[in-house]
Amino acid sequence: MRILVSACLLGLICRYSGDGKAFPPLAELLKRGDLHFVPVCPEQLGGLPTPRPPAERVGERVLTRDGGDVTEQYVRGAAQAEELARLMGCQCALLKARSPSCGSGVVYDGTFTGRKVPGDGVAAARLKGAGIPVFDEEHWAEFLDFIKEEG
Ligand code: SF4
């Protein structure tokens, strides 16, 4: 099974802050020969630098804390993530929770105060729209159930 994965969850330093966010339980799965992870960072693929100003979804737009509109880069990165998933034949995606790109089901509310609202990041929404199941690291058990059933 091929699985699209947020590159920051592997510890790659692609986050806005210039660091990674390694998710330790992934390490065991990386050793399995039947699972193939395809790393992606939609924000970098959309052309944004690292580090970069933090951004949050505000309705259909994505804005930085100082009001810069980075929607175009987020949309481009989401399209590239979908294309990568298609090229590599990914059957699902494991993405970083709450990110304006990768968040699934819950994202920050656009006030940069840590408040959360229901919703998807731009890339997660695009992948779901393409019929690719999306999980995040905070729903690890559901992800494990899926790869067990589908693998
Ligand atoms: Fe991680 Fe996704 Fe943000 Fe890239 S866009 S740093 S992969 S959460």
Side-chain angles (χ1 to χ4, degrees):
M1 176 185 284
R2 292 186 186 179
I3 303 161
L4 198 71
V5 61
S6 290
C8 58
L9 289 178
L10 298 174
L12 298 176
I13 51 172
C14 53
R15 295 181 75 223
Y16 73 93
S17 49
D19 60 5
K21 194 79 172 175
F23 183 61
L26 257 176
E28 278 305 306
L29 294 192
L30 293 177
K31 296 178 194 157
R32 278 178 49 172
D34 61 330
L35 299 176
H36 304 282
F37 287 90
V38 178
V40 66
C41 177
E43 291 172 24
Q44 288 186 335
L45 277 179
L48 292 168
T50 303
R52 53 190 170 273
E56 295 189 1
R57 287 203 78 160
V58 182
E60 290 305 305
R61 315 300 295 171
V62 184
L63 304 178
T64 63
R65 185 158 30 207
D66 55 6
D69 190 332
V70 285
T71 309
E72 188 183 325
Q73 290 93 330
Y74 273 69
V75 170
R76 189 186 310 142
Q80 288 285 282
E82 183 193 351
E83 177 69 356
L84 183 62
R86 189 188 66 76
L87 286 169
M88 300 303 293
C90 294
Q91 288 162 259
C92 67
L94 177 69
L95 302 184
K96 175 81 189 73
R98 298 186 304 279
S99 150
S101 285
C102 293
S104 177
V106 177
V107 291
Y108 291 117
D109 72 349
T111 61
F112 296 90
T113 57
R115 280 204 305 257
K116 294 167 236 166
V117 289
D120 290 323
V122 181
R126 179 130 186 174
L127 291 165
K128 288 181 182 181
I132 297 172
V134 175
F135 301 90
D136 67 38
E137 80 279 17
E138 294 183 351
H139 295 84
W140 185 240
E142 289 172 28
F143 171 67
L144 292 179
D145 285 346
F146 179 85
I147 61 174
K148 193 171 172 187
E149 283 167 20
E150 303 287 324

